[in-house]
């Protein structure tokens, strides 16, 4: 794109400031900026103008229940045998979502490289790999692992894995791919700049993972290798159990198109997304979308009916993912702390939220499936998210839970 064309484009959208420093830039910087402008998704700004995301309001909601821990224990041997066979036959692959920026943690490197150990080195990535290694040892087969990064953290993530010899994982079974980026905007709707030659672009949410995986050519690779199921999970849960045979087996046995691990709510008002049915299809209802009545609804035994919160650990049938690949996902407008240039051109790293990012979310893929196996896991054993440094879902709480599970820190 040439300067004049870019100028007209930014003017049309009221974003002239993007070219404010153009005259000061070297040739390379000029080209970079024009390229970024050419690739911007202007439709996102229209969303902001109408002040609402494309999240549709929820349809008719009903509880979904779950395959509960007691029943899983009773049928564990069977589920494990089904899962083990699928793992040994190479029917599963795992996708680790590590493209986020972890702004709440306030750590400026990839979140997986954060050391959760106290007296020894124990990194978040290491915890996840060690848990996956348990499966590899148990079934005696490697699980292909695809790690999603972003433009912002790809190189650092790869370098970290190489530096640590993949924490013992077989490098031939690890692949990295990058997700797409979207512009960040201030509260006034102006796109933020993070350098004189660069627009503030941030990863476009974890919902675009399948499209990015396809673009990288890895879906074809998986299918050629006979993969039928993909598990997908968050980087920040240090107790995350990935591709464990019982879960894989239970989801396959259920005949559902996808599965999701869930934990029993700690209390009715816990701020988690709950797996339920919406207009007869699986769906995740956020805590703020539930009415007071729904929150407290109980069955005849006194159990909450909307009781099972998701922990970002899902499993999808690959053919169903391909079938929904072209569908538009809702875009969520999320408030975040976004580094940006101020009027004087100085880089500011804000301590409080200062604008919006646009994100598609993996949880919205669940509603595009016809059926979902909701699979209960024990919270203290499988759910220790690291979102913040202290307080709820923090480094402190995750450390306490790791200790409880016998992990040396
Ligand atoms: P979060 O929703 O916690 O977002 O991600 P985040 O960006 O990591 O952290 P905050 O909100 O800025 O503090 C949940 C999971 O989804 C991944 C994250 O890496 C994490 O595993 N994710 C999130 C992506 O892979 N890409 C994204 O664009 C966003």
């Amino acid at each position: 794109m040439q300067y004049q064309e870019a100028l007209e484009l930014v003017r049309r959208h009221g974003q002239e400031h993007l070219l404010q420093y153009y005259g000061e830039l070297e040739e390379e910087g000029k080209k970079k900026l024009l390229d970024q402008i050419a690739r911007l998704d202007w439709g996102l700004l229209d969303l902001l103008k109408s002040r609402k995301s494309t999240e549709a309001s929820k349809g008719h909601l009903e509880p979904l229940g779950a395959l509960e821990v007691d029943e899983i224990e009773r049928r564990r041997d069977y589920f494990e045998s089904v899962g083990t066979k699928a793992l040994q036959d190479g029917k599963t692959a795992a996708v680790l979502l590590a493209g986020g920026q972890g702004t709440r943690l306030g750590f400026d490197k990839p979140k997986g490289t954060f050391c959760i150990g106290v007296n020894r080195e124990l990194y978040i990535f290491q915890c996840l790999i060690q848990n996956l290694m348990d499966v590899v040892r148990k079934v005696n087969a490697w699980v292909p692992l695809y790690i999603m990064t972003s433009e912002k953290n790809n190189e650092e993530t790869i370098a970290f894995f190489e530096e640590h010899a993949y924490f013992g994982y077989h490098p031939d079974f690890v692949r990295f791919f990058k997700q797409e980026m979207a512009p960040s905007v201030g509260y006034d709707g102006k796109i933020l700049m993070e350098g004189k030659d660069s627009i503030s672009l941030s990863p476009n949410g974890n919902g675009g993972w399948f499209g990015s995986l396809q673009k990288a050519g890895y879906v074809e690779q998986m299918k050629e290798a006979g993969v039928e199921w993909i598990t997908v999970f968050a980087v920040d849960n240090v107790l995350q159990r990935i591709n464990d045979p019982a879960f894989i087996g239970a989801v396959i046995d259920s005949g559902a198109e996808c599965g999701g691990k869930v934990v029993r709510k700690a209390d009715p008002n816990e701020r988690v997304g709950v797996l339920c049915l919406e207009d007869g299809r699986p769906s995740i209802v956020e805590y703020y979308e539930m009415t007071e009545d729904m929150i407290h609804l109980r069955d005849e035994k006194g159990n909450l009916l909307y009781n099972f919160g998701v922990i970002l650990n899902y499993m999808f049938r690959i053919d169903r993912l391909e079938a929904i690949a072209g569908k538009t996902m809702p875009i969520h407008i999320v408030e975040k702390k976004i580094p940006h240039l101020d009027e004087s051109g100085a880089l500011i790293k804000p301590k409080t939220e200062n604008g919006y990012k646009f994100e598609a979310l993996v949880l919205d893929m669940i509603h595009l499936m016809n059926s979902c196996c909701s699979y209960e896991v024990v919270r203290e054993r499988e759910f220790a998210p690291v979102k913040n440094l202290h307080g709820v879902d923090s480094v402190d709480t995750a450390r306490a839970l790791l200790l409880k599970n016998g992990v040396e820190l």
Side-chain angles (χ1 to χ4, degrees), residues 68-123:
E68 296 186 22
V69 166
D70 290 352
E71 189 179 347
I72 294 170
E73 284 316 311
R74 262 199 314 278
R75 302 176 64 196
R76 178 168 288 280
D77 288 349
Y78 170 67
F79 289 149
E80 285 200 351
S81 70
V82 176
T84 300
K85 174 143 184 22
L87 285 152
Q88 288 173 338
D89 291 348
K91 300 261 186 250
T92 76
V95 171
L96 164 55
L97 303 174
Q101 288 180 291
T103 50
R104 282 170 286 174
L105 185 60
F107 178 61
D108 62 1
K109 296 195 170 75
K111 204 190 248 188
T113 69
F114 185 86
C115 181
I116 196 85
V118 178
N119 301 311
R120 66 168 181 131
E121 286 183 18
L122 177 66
Y123 300 98

Side-chain angles (χ1 to χ4, degrees), residues 373-404:
C373 170
S374 172
Y375 179 95
E376 189 194 1
V377 296
V378 179
R379 172 186 287 258
E380 290 75 28
R381 281 202 219 120
E382 294 206 26
F383 191 44
V386 179
K387 299 286 186 195
N388 307 293
L389 202 50
H390 304 295
V392 184
D393 296 343
S394 65
V395 172
D396 300 342
T397 54
R399 282 186 175 144
L401 283 161
L402 281 168
L403 283 173
K404 230 179 173 176

Side-chain angles (χ1 to χ4, degrees), residues 3 6-7 9-25 33 37 40 42 45 183-186 188-200 340-343 345:
Y3 174 74
L7 184 63
L9 194 58
V10 295
R11 274 202 185 129
R12 210 171 327 130
H13 293 280
Q15 305 283 342
E16 296 89 325
H17 64 287
L18 297 182
L19 288 168
Q20 178 179 352
Y21 301 107
Y22 187 81
E24 295 176 28
L25 303 175
L33 186 57
I37 292 174
L40 280 178
W42 300 99
L45 299 182
S184 311
V185 297
D188 57 0
K190 300 279 183 215
I191 296 176
L192 296 169
M193 301 285 290
E194 65 181 12
K196 292 186 174 176
D197 63 355
S198 47
I199 291 171
S200 168
H340 63 282
L341 297 189
D342 66 7
E343 292 85 47

Side-chain angles (χ1 to χ4, degrees), residues 96-105 111 148 179-180 202-207 233-236 312 336 357 359-361 387:
L96 164 55
L97 303 174
Q101 288 180 291
T103 50
R104 282 170 286 174
L105 185 60
K111 204 190 248 188
M148 184 167 84
Q179 69 174 102
E180 319 290 311
S202 52
N204 65 348
N206 55 30
F233 56 97
V235 71
D236 47 30
L312 220 175
K336 296 260 180 173
K357 291 185 181 178
E359 297 192 338
L361 300 179
K387 299 286 186 195

Side-chain angles (χ1 to χ4, degrees), residues 105-167:
L105 185 60
F107 178 61
D108 62 1
K109 296 195 170 75
K111 204 190 248 188
T113 69
F114 185 86
C115 181
I116 196 85
V118 178
N119 301 311
R120 66 168 181 131
E121 286 183 18
L122 177 66
Y123 300 98
I124 293 183
F125 278 137
Q126 189 176 358
C127 295
L128 301 178
I129 296 292
Q130 282 173 356
N131 287 352
L132 188 53
M133 286 292 287
D134 285 349
V135 174
V136 171
R137 275 189 292 267
K138 187 166 178 154
V139 306
N140 197 22
W142 292 97
V143 177
L145 174 64
Y146 295 81
I147 302 179
M148 184 167 84
T149 61
S150 81
E151 220 46 85
K152 302 247 176 204
N153 67 12
N154 182 60
E155 279 171 30
E156 256 183 299
T157 304
I158 296 175
F160 185 80
F161 269 89
E162 282 175 356
E163 195 185 315
H164 292 92
Y166 291 75
F167 299 105

